[in-house]
């Protein structure tokens, strides 16, 4: 099966799960002909139909190199997501200035910046600017 | 008239309009900050000001705020505001081709033309248009939103089915939260944060900006990202600008028309305008949409600024705010002792005319600021990506938080960043997802209201003329590209190059 097909299979599984969830919504009453579940159900059916159609088309058409998803860098992708998730988590526990400094610093490192002067200056200036703009000018307390 | 001109051309008023436009541009260019936020923040500062300068400043922010989002959308594929989401369809590819300066200039001129034409329409036929806007009931709103959704075929690029799947996902995401009629919590999984639905702006920031950062960092690792965007100052001649007069005019009319209908918003105007621009283009030119052509930028940027004049029509003539920004402006007007409505024109004529002139001045300031700023902001693309990307992603997260001081919105931005990245990895277009999230609530609430009003009679959608026209065009627009795509795939023909890279 082509790699792309897995996306459709995952979407189909999620759609069936959501259909199950729709079933748990209250039934329509006298004043609401359609009820809260009607529209989501309609959309899920639509998603299922188009996913099946896409799968059929994937099987019927010839494989073209350009159609396949490009090379996937698992390790780098997961490091990036871990850094970003760590940052968002840190916002609840430590001062955002420290978290922001670490986020910019680590992403720049990941992107290959080797000069510590640049790493430190960009991170510090960015944190300072964000503090001035959001906390001082806009009164947003993070 | 002398009194009006004296009020408007007072130094204080001019300075405040300029400051308003400038702040509007800056606010909307930063991801997460919006013109609405800018107006809301500055309202307290206008308490002590006289009526005309105070309201003029708020209108200045409104005008500048519509334009500013295009700058980051074009340069770094980060739409500062929802109204700039469609601008990146052709704006960013133009920048990628080394035409960032040209794209920014077209965006500026388009915004100016759209703003001015909608002002003229506002001045000339505001009351008549306002009456037309009020003919829209739930059936018409539903039909208009379905018509808006029909452009999925246009913005899906090579694979219409994938576009429809993604649009469906967007429509489904829009159902998360409180059911619009009965108030039942749907798919919230017990989360209080989800009861009001998925926040749109963090989702937009995540889908386009965060996903782009993830993609760029990965491409840097794989070495795929050899192409460096370079900024080059490019002037556009008057002749070249006038050669797109049809685009300017069409987008202005669409923007104004959408603006006068309360509850629609600029995003619908920009996507519709983009669709119509592509539809009216010559076949060979149509293939170029999405690859970076001026028509795409003009269509979207002209229409979003044309919405400003249109949205002020129901606000000033009937006292009905069309969207959140105009609702905040309404608050500002009421604080200044101005009650919009039919009597405003009779009882407060000089004020109304001074606002009209202010709008034109604000658009001129926006043009000047835009053309001047292009020289400096364009240089953003020259900043090395390994320095720029971490700053962009930080601004995305902090901006998402600042929208409602809610950490959950930052999670939304991150989650949508990952979703956007994965979808693009498998060649799924992102614009239909945004379109689905924008139009979903309008479609559902108005469909259900119509059914309740008509006691379940579905024929009402085709017996009301405005609704019938929109739905008929929508059905044809849906089916034609779908069948064309299926036929092409089954016949094994090469797909035509109508790729939308966003």
């Amino acid at each position: 099966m082509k790699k792309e097909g897995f996306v459709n299979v995952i979407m189909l599984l999620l759609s069936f799960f959501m259909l199950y969830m729709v079933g748990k919504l209250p039934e329509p009453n006298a004043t609401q002909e359609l009820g809260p579940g009607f529209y989501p159900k309609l959309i899920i059916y639509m998603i299922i139909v188009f996913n099946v159609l896409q799968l059929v088309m994937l099987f019927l058409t010839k494989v073209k190199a350009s159609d396949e998803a490009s090379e996937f860098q698992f390790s780098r992708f997961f490091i990036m997501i871990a850094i970003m998730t760590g940052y968002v988590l840190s916002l609840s526990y430590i001062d955002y200035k420290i978290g922001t400094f670490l986020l910019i610093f680590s992403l720049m490192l990941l992107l290959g910046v080797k000069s510590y002067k640049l790493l430190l200056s960009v991170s510090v200036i960015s944190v300072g600017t964000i503090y001035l703009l959001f906390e001082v000018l806009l009164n947003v307390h993070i | 008239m002398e009194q009006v001109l004296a009020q408007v051309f007072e130094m204080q008023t001019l300075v405040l309009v300029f400051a308003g436009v400038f702040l509007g541009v800056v606010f909307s260019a930063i991801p997460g900050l919006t013109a609405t936020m800018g107006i809301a923040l500055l309202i307290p500062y206008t308490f002590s000001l006289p009526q005309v300068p105070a309201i003029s400043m708020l209108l200045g922010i409104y005008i500048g705020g519509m334009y500013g989002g295009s700058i980051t959308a074009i340069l770094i594929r980060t739409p500062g505001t929802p109204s700039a989401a469609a601008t990146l369809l052709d704006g960013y590819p133009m920048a990628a081709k080394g035409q960032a300066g040209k794209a920014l200039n077209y965006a500026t001129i388009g915004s100016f033309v759209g703003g001015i034409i909608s002002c003229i329409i506002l001045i000339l036929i505001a009351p008549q248009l306002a009456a037309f806007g009020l003919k829209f009931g739930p059936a018409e709103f539903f039909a208009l939103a379905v018509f808006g959704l029909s452009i999925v075929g246009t913005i899906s690029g090579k694979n219409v089915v994938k576009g429809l799947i993604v649009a469906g996902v967007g429509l489904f995401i829009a159902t998360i939260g409180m059911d619009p009629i009965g108030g039942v919590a749907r798919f919230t999984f017990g989360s209080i944060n989800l009861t009001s639905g998925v926040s749109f702006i963090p989702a937009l920031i995540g889908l386009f900006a965060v996903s782009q950062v993830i993609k760029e960092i990965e491409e840097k690792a794989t070495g795929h990202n050899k192409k460096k965007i370079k900024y080059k100052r490019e002037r556009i001649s008057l002749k070249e600008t006038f050669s797109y007069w049809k685009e300017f005019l069409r987008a202005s009319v669409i923007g104004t028309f959408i603006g006068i209908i309360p509850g629609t918003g600029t995003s619908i105007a920009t996507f519709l305008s983009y669709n119509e621009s592509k539809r009216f283009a010559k076949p060979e030119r149509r293939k170029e949409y999405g690859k970076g052509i001026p028509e795409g930028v003009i269509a979207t940027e002209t229409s979003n600024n044309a919405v400003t004049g249109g949205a002020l029509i129901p606000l000033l003539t009937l006292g009905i705010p069309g969207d959140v920004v105009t609702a905040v402006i309404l608050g500002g007007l009421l604080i200044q002792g101005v009650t919009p409505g039919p009597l405003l024109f009779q009882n407060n004529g000089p004020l109304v005319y001074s606002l009209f002139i202010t709008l034109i001045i604000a658009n001129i300031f926006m043009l000047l600021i835009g053309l001047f700023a292009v020289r400096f902001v364009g240089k953003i693309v020259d900043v090395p990506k390994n320095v720029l990307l971490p700053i962009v992603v930080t601004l995305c997260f902090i901006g998402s938080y600042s929208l409602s001081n809610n950490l959950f919105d930052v999670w939304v931005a991150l989650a949508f960043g990952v979703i956007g990245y994965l979808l693009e990895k498998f060649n799924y277009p992102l614009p239909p997802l945004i379109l689905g999230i924008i139009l979903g609530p309008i479609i559902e609430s108005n469909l259900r209201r119509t059914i309740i009003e008509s006691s379940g009679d579905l024929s009402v959608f085709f017996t009301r003329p405005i609704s019938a026209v929109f739905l008929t065009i929508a059905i044809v627009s849906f089916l034609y590209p779908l069948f064309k795509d299926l036929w092409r795939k089954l016949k094994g023909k090469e797909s035509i190059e109508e790729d939308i890279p966003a």
Side-chain angles (χ1 to χ4, degrees):
Chain A
M1 187 194 239
K2 293 175 189 179
K3 273 190 227 168
E4 266 191 67
F6 288 111
V7 178
N8 302 105
V9 174
I10 292 168
M11 281 201 197
L12 281 173
L13 290 174
L14 279 173
S15 302
F16 288 120
F17 172 69
M18 294 321 281
L19 264 185
Y20 164 73
M21 295 300 293
V22 170
K24 290 190 163 187
L25 291 172
E27 287 297 311
N29 58 36
T31 52
Q32 298 167 222
E33 285 90 327
L34 297 177
F38 172 81
Y39 178 76
K41 207 187 279 179
L42 194 75
I43 300 299
I44 296 170
Y45 285 143
M46 180 185 126
I47 295 172
I48 291 173
V49 168
F50 287 125
N51 269 296
V52 172
L53 195 63
Q54 177 66 14
L55 276 174
V56 172
M57 277 163 50
L58 274 176
F59 279 112
L60 291 180
T61 50
K62 286 178 187 170
V63 189
K64 275 196 289 180
S66 60
D67 283 347
E68 288 293 314
S70 54
E71 190 186 344
F72 192 80
Q73 291 283 312
F74 275 106
S75 58
R76 192 161 273 252
F77 174 74
F78 285 116
I79 292 171
M80 261 186 298
I81 300 305
I83 291 174
M84 290 181 190
T85 309
Y87 173 66
V88 183
L89 270 176
S90 78
L91 290 174
S92 308
Y93 301 104
I94 57 169
D95 192 301
Y96 83 95
K97 292 183 218 71
I98 301 168
T100 304
F101 175 86
L102 291 173
L103 174 74
I104 298 174
F105 192 93
S106 51
L107 282 180
M108 280 171 71
L109 261 182
L110 191 68
L111 282 162
V113 178
K114 290 196 175 87
S115 156
Y116 278 92
K117 269 186 194 169
L118 188 65
L119 281 165
L120 286 170
S121 58
V122 171
S123 308
V124 170
I125 292 169
S126 304
V127 172
T129 312
I130 286 168
Y131 170 75
L132 277 176
L133 179 67
F134 287 90
E135 272 204 73
V136 179
L137 285 173
L138 301 176
N139 210 20
V140 175
H141 295 288
I142 306 166
Chain B
M1 197 62 191
E2 273 177 32
Q3 185 199 346
V4 171
L5 292 174
Q7 275 185 324
V8 173
F9 288 100
E10 214 175 86
M11 189 46 89
Q12 186 192 25
T13 312
L14 291 175
V15 169
L16 287 172
V17 175
F18 185 85
V21 175
F22 181 76
L23 285 173
V25 173
V26 172
F27 259 76
S28 55
I30 299 171
L33 302 189
T34 59
T36 315
M37 201 189 272
I39 295 170
L41 278 167
L42 283 176
I43 281 181
Y45 296 103
T46 61
F47 284 165
S48 54
L49 294 171
Q51 262 184 357
V52 174
I55 300 167
S56 303
M57 188 181 189
L58 299 181
L59 291 177
I61 303 174
Y62 184 34
I63 303 286
M66 281 295 163
Y67 158 71
S70 66
I71 297 172
T72 40
I74 290 169
L75 295 176
I76 49 175
R77 198 184 180 244
T78 304
T81 53
S83 59
T87 306
L88 57 77
L89 292 175
D90 272 279
Y92 185 71
M94 273 186 88
K97 286 199 291 192
Q99 297 176 347
K102 211 172 187 178
L104 285 170
N105 277 328
Y106 276 121
T108 309
I109 295 168
S111 298
F112 170 71
V113 174
I116 291 290
I117 290 180
S118 73
C119 276
I120 294 169
I121 296 173
L122 169 71
I123 294 166
L124 295 178
I125 46 171
Q128 291 85 343
L129 282 176
F132 174 74
L134 285 186
K135 283 186 180 163
F136 273 66
E140 285 77 15
F141 276 116
F142 169 77
L144 177 67
V146 174
F147 174 60
L149 199 63
S150 69
I151 71 165
V152 167
T154 306
I155 56 173
S156 293
K158 287 176 187 170
N159 195 326
V160 180
V161 180
K162 280 184 177 176
L164 288 167
I165 292 172
V166 172
V169 173
L171 289 171
F172 184 78
I173 290 170
T175 65
I176 296 171
M178 289 285 214
D179 150 33
I181 304 290
V184 176
R186 296 182 301 194
F187 319 117
T188 57
F189 300 97
S191 163
I192 296 168
N193 288 304
L194 281 175
T195 47
S196 54
V198 174
S199 313
F200 173 63
I201 296 179
L204 179 76
I205 290 173
L207 269 181
F208 290 106
V210 179
S211 73
Q212 178 71 8
V213 172
I214 299 173
K215 190 173 138 192
E216 299 256 11
I217 293 177
E218 199 211 357
E219 280 180 350
K220 205 159 172 56
T222 53
H224 287 160
N225 195 11
K226 299 272 188 237
K227 197 169 60 182
K228 187 176 180 335
I229 296 179
K230 270 274 171 201
Y231 175 71
K232 205 168 62 185
R233 253 187 81 188
E234 279 177 288
R235 285 192 180 156
I236 328 166
S237 66
L238 269 179
K239 194 183 164 193
E240 205 179 342
T241 307
F242 278 115
S243 68
Y244 296 112
W245 68 272
K246 283 182 192 166
E247 304 296 329
F248 287 118
L249 197 62
R250 190 188 306 115
S252 300
V253 172
I254 292 172
T256 311
F257 172 73
I258 297 295
I260 61 166
I261 305 165
T264 44
T266 44
S267 309
I268 300 179
T270 53
F271 279 107
L272 275 181
S273 177
Y274 185 84
N275 185 51
E276 293 315 306
S277 172
K278 192 173 175 182
R279 200 200 304 262
F280 277 94
K282 288 179 180 154
E284 64 273 17
R285 194 66 179 159
R286 203 176 296 148
K287 293 173 193 170
E288 299 300 317
Y289 276 75
K291 292 178 182 170
I293 55 168
E295 290 95 318
V297 177
I298 292 169
T300 53
E301 277 308 305
T302 308
S303 64
N304 69 20
N305 268 67
V307 169
T308 55
L312 288 173
I313 292 173
L315 179 74
L316 294 177
T317 56
L318 305 164
I320 300 170
D323 52 22
V324 189
V325 195
T326 43
V328 181
I329 292 177
L330 174 65
L333 290 170
L334 292 171
I335 286 167
Q336 287 294 330
V338 180
T339 311
L343 292 177
L344 180 68
F345 285 75
Q346 283 176 25
N347 300 342
N348 225 336
L351 176 73
V352 174
Y353 289 107
S354 49
L355 294 185
F356 287 163
I357 297 171
T358 302
L359 276 174
I360 292 173
I361 294 171
N363 275 293
I364 294 169
F365 281 153
M366 186 213 64
L367 177 74
L368 297 176
I369 290 172
L371 292 177
F372 185 71
V374 163
R375 300 171 187 205
F376 304 101
V377 294
K379 302 243 179 258
I380 290 175
V381 292
D382 290 339
V383 177
K385 283 202 169 162
N386 48 15
V387 173
L388 184 66
L389 296 175
I391 298 171
V392 169
V393 83
T394 310
L395 275 176
C396 290
F397 289 145
I398 304 274
S400 299
Y401 176 83
S402 67
L403 282 166
S404 52
N405 284 12
N406 188 353
L407 198 59
F408 185 75
D409 286 343
V410 188
W411 285 112
V412 171
L414 177 60
F416 273 84
V418 177
I419 294 170
Y421 168 78
L422 292 174
L423 284 174
E424 279 204 313
K425 201 80 191 157
F426 291 98
N427 303 317
Y428 281 80
L430 298 183
L433 186 71
I434 279 299
L435 202 63
I437 299 177
I438 294 169
L439 296 175
I442 305 174
I443 292 177
E444 183 184 8
S445 57
N446 288 296
L447 168 72
R448 290 176 62 185
R449 274 191 200 114
T450 311
I451 301 275
I452 291 169
E453 273 182 19
S454 65
S455 306
D457 178 17
L458 287 172
S459 68
V460 70
F461 290 113
F462 290 93
T463 51
R464 295 178 70 119
I466 298 174
S467 162
V469 169
F470 278 131
L471 280 179
T472 309
I473 303 172
I475 291 167
V476 175
S477 308
F478 263 125
L479 296 181
Y480 175 68
L482 181 67
F483 284 121
K484 199 171 82 174
D485 189 43
L486 284 177
W487 179 252
R488 209 171 54 220
K489 287 264 156 63
L490 292 173
K491 282 275 173 189
K493 284 183 184 171
E494 281 291 306
S495 57
I496 51 167
E497 292 299 313
E498 288 186 29
D499 198 13
I500 304 288

